[in-house]
Amino acid sequence: MRTVACLIFDGVRAFDYAVINEVWSNRSTRPGLPSFDLRVCGPAGARVRLGGGLERVPDFGLDELARCDLVVVPGLESVREPCDPAVLAALRAAHERGVTVASLCAGAFVLAEAGLLNGRRATTHWALSAELARRFPEVDVHPEVLFTGEGDLWTSAGVAAGIDLCLHLVRAAHGQQAAATIARAMVTAPFRAGGQAQFIPSPVPEGTGRGDDALARARADVLAALDTPWTVARMAGLALMSERSFARRFVEATGTTPLRWLLEQRVLLAQRLLEETDLPVDAVAVRCGFGSAVSLRPAFTSRVGVAPREYRRTFRGREAG
């Protein structure tokens, strides 16, 4: 996935356009990354008005979308206006030719209007999810996640979640190290656990501040020893909380359960070790807390989409035990 199109037209968010440019543009300060070819596409010859009063003339027309590996649609300043039919037709044509299509934030409305999300999982900013579901009932809207998708169609939630999705697409195509290198250059995390629940406004329980500190310390202790046979009760003990209080506050703070978070962190560590070390798969499994390659395989395959040994062959080009 080297040739990436950023699709712009009147009303797209300048922030999302900047995120796409930052992730996939080539930088001399990021050695070792694949050589990306970022193409800014839009209505031919038209000056596009981005949000915030910025303007940009696309370098390529809409027909260029079908010649790229990936098309990313930025979010919109407003979802009230219908999208240009020429833009929708170009998106459909690109997808029909096998191009992967992704949207950031309210860009999901564009994909839905093009009919690409019919019968598919999708998300958008939590404040817009009900509107997306109402206007496009054939779309399976999941407002709780930061991003979602499968294969050739992806959508993300708002603002920072767009960065999450862009880094995920880099990680899926080029490996954990490439995504981590870009994330470091952007001074952001290469992966954030949890979902949108942690960002939706809700009443703050009394005393949550101290509890959040305890939760953060507990997560840090768990991350430092992922090979430990952790249980919810044992993690709750680190935070000096009852098991029930710990589980409830953990979901409030992160948008996911303690055990789901733990599994996610173990798989992420396994990815890094498979890419960066020559440890046998059994040793990787033990280091990550799975105990054996037999236990690692289903969890890893479920999240990453391939088995550990196949993942290593893909991103390192050789087997290491």
Side-chain angles (χ1 to χ4, degrees):
M1 192 176 289
R2 303 291 183 91
T3 306
V4 180
C6 175
L7 174 59
I8 62 172
F9 46 89
D10 286 347
V12 301
R13 286 172 51 88
F15 178 87
D16 292 347
Y17 162 76
V19 165
I20 297 165
N21 182 75
E22 186 66 27
V23 171
W24 277 289
S25 63
N26 288 307
R27 294 282 194 272
S28 60
T29 55
R30 303 190 300 198
L33 288 179
S35 179
F36 297 122
D37 181 5
L38 178 64
R39 303 177 183 181
V40 179
C41 304
R47 183 175 293 275
V48 171
R49 296 184 296 276
L50 307 175
L54 301 178
E55 295 185 343
R56 173 73 154 87
V57 177
D59 300 318
F60 298 88
L62 293 172
D63 57 347
E64 190 67 20
L65 300 182
R67 290 188 279 272
C68 295
D69 303 317
L70 168 68
V71 174
V72 187
V73 182
L76 310 176
E77 290 290 327
S78 172
V79 299
R80 296 176 183 175
E81 300 298 325
C83 188
D84 182 347
V87 170
L88 300 178
L91 274 174
R92 285 192 291 265
H95 187 251
E96 287 170 2
R97 288 179 64 88
V99 177
T100 297
V101 179
S103 67
L104 311 187
C105 195
F109 284 79
V110 179
L111 271 58
E113 194 174 347
L116 300 184
L117 297 181
N118 291 349
R120 305 289 289 262
R121 284 173 56 96
T123 193
T124 188
H125 191 288
W126 57 265
L128 298 172
S129 58
E131 176 69 6
L132 182 66
R134 183 188 67 79
R135 285 172 50 181
F136 303 100
E138 56 280 332
V139 178
D140 183 15
V141 180
H142 288 254
E144 74 281 3
V145 297
L146 294 176
F147 61 83
T148 188
E150 184 178 359
D152 57 0
L153 279 172
W154 294 84
T155 56
S156 81
V159 193
I163 301 176
D164 295 328
L165 175 55
C166 290
L167 292 175
H168 170 77
L169 293 171
V170 171
R171 184 184 304 110
H174 304 288
Q176 178 82 2
Q177 190 58 46
T181 299
I182 295 172
R184 282 194 295 270
M186 296 176 68
V187 197
T188 189
F191 180 84
R192 292 190 300 159
Q196 291 197 72
Q198 57 192 307
F199 305 110
I200 299 174
S202 59
V204 179
E206 184 178 355
T208 294
R210 287 191 298 273
D212 285 348
D213 289 342
L215 287 172
R217 288 195 300 271
R219 291 197 299 271
D221 288 344
V222 171
L223 287 173
L226 284 172
D227 57 342
T228 299
W230 293 107
T231 63
V232 176
R234 192 167 185 176
M235 288 188 279
L238 294 174
L240 302 179
M241 296 180 186
S242 70
E243 186 173 343
R244 175 177 291 185
S245 293
F246 176 80
R248 174 176 57 81
R249 292 198 177 191
F250 197 100
V251 172
E252 291 172 354
T254 68
T256 191
T257 67
L259 292 181
R260 286 178 182 170
W261 174 86
L262 176 63
L263 179 62
E264 191 73 41
Q265 300 309 311
R266 283 174 165 164
V267 171
L268 283 171
L269 177 58
Q271 286 181 266
R272 190 166 73 248
L273 293 176
L274 288 168
E275 290 186 31
E276 300 176 6
T277 76
D278 289 324
L279 288 172
V281 175
D282 270 312
V284 169
V286 171
R287 181 82 66 87
C288 298
F290 289 100
S292 69
V294 173
S295 298
L296 167 64
R297 182 185 175 93
F300 191 95
T301 303
S302 175
R303 183 197 177 279
V304 182
V306 296
R309 294 182 192 278
E310 183 180 348
Y311 183 86
R312 170 169 272 167
R313 282 194 296 270
T314 299
F315 293 112
R316 300 201 69 191
R318 57 190 174 89
E319 188 71 51

